[in-house]
Every structure is written in structure tokens, then in C-alpha cells.
Amino acid sequence: MKDKDFIRLEQIERLLSQYRGLIDVKPPGRGWVRAIREALGMSSPQLARRMRIKAAQSVEDMQKDELSGAIKLRTLSKLAEALDCQLVYALVPRKPLQELRRDRASVVARLQIGRVSHSMSLEEQGVSAEAEQSELNRRIDKLLYGNPKKLWD
């Protein structure tokens, strides 16, 4: 991997670190929009007017879409704006990016070694567990420092 790729990975990781603490935050049972709207003491018709839409039923439909996961990001952004909120959108990996890449490199390297190891054992040319581990580590390093796209083929 090139230096610029490492730098980019570190930059993204720094940004993500701000969100990692939010991974376990669950939305209120009836959704964020309804919870904030009700906490502000705002009715559905009032929110509809603030969004410059006609029917309060549309707000109810949007709240249902939020709960089901069918809401569009653009719609959620408009709702947030009408509630004087900031929509925060992020994809937060469950593990640090370097760890995800290493895990994937390990899977790919094991697949590569597995094919070779099986073929060699059929020819009674098997290698020791220590030699196999050494080769695995070598391949993982090669994958990590090579073209990262090869991890995902």
C-alpha cells in the first residue's frame, strides 16, 4: 500500500473515532423524529407546516418510514432541519479499519495457502505447521502492503 493510502486510512480512522462511542446508542422506541417532535411539544401538523408540506399524515408516514428503515436520507435531513436539528450520518466500522484489512488479508492468505497446502499434501510434500504459519504471515504482509483492492476480489 502506498504512503498516501496509509495517510488516508489514518485520517478516516481519526474521523471515525468520534463516532465509535455511538455504535451502541439505540434510537428511541418510536424513532428520533417523533421523540424530538414530542419533546419540543410540536404536533405533526405543526411539523408539516415547518416542512412546507400540506398533510400531517405525511409526517406520520415519514415517522413510520424512519422506524422501518425505509426513510430516505434526504427526507430525514428535511425533518431534522424542520426540528432545528443536525442530521449526523456516518458508517462506523465495528473494528478499526487496519484491523478489518488485516482480518481480510488473513482470510485471503489462508485461502491461498489452503490450495497450495492441499496440493502438496496429495504429493506427500506437506510442510510443518511452523513453516505454514511463517508462509501465512508472509502472505498477509504482502497483501497488506500491496494493492488493497486485491483483498476484496
Side-chain angles (χ1 to χ4, degrees):
M1 183 163 50
K2 298 175 183 169
D3 286 344
K4 69 176 182 163
D5 294 328
F6 276 118
I7 292 169
R8 187 175 321 142
L9 191 116
E10 288 175 0
Q11 287 172 335
I12 296 291
E13 198 57 54
R14 272 195 301 278
L15 285 172
L16 289 170
S17 68
Q18 300 171 63
Y19 297 97
R20 289 213 189 279
L22 299 175
I23 289 176
D24 296 325
V25 174
K26 303 293 181 223
R30 296 172 66 194
W32 285 110
V33 174
R34 183 183 302 266
I36 291 171
R37 179 180 61 74
E38 289 177 351
L40 290 171
M42 188 184 300
S43 69
S44 291
Q46 290 169 327
L47 179 55
R49 278 194 302 277
R50 289 176 64 92
M51 293 180 71
R52 295 186 174 86
I53 59 175
K54 293 184 182 187
Q57 182 58 44
S58 293
V59 169
E60 293 299 322
D61 290 342
M62 291 175 205
Q63 290 175 158
K64 287 178 187 172
D65 285 348
E66 179 195 4
L67 282 177
S68 71
I71 196 162
K72 291 181 179 179
L73 202 52
R74 181 176 357 163
T75 303
L76 198 53
S77 180
K78 288 177 184 177
L79 283 160
E81 183 68 28
L83 291 166
D84 198 23
C85 292
Q86 177 70 43
L87 176 65
V88 178
Y89 170 82
L91 298 177
V92 183
R94 290 179 185 90
K95 298 178 181 179
L97 295 171
Q98 283 284 39
E99 194 174 329
L100 288 175
R101 285 172 44 90
R102 178 163 280 288
D103 289 351
R104 181 61 188 169
S106 179
V107 167
V108 172
R110 285 180 197 285
L111 287 172
Q112 292 172 349
I113 286 178
R115 289 189 292 262
V116 172
S117 183
H118 176 70
S119 173
M120 289 179 72
S121 66
L122 290 176
E123 298 171 9
E124 296 181 12
Q125 296 177 357
V127 296
S128 70
E130 185 179 288
E132 194 168 311
Q133 184 61 48
S134 176
E135 178 60 16
L136 177 66
N137 291 337
R138 189 188 70 74
R139 286 181 186 240
I140 289 171
D141 287 343
K142 184 177 178 183
L143 286 163
L144 287 173
Y145 295 103
N147 183 345
K149 291 179 177 77
K150 293 189 182 224
L151 294 173
W152 310 103
D153 286 337

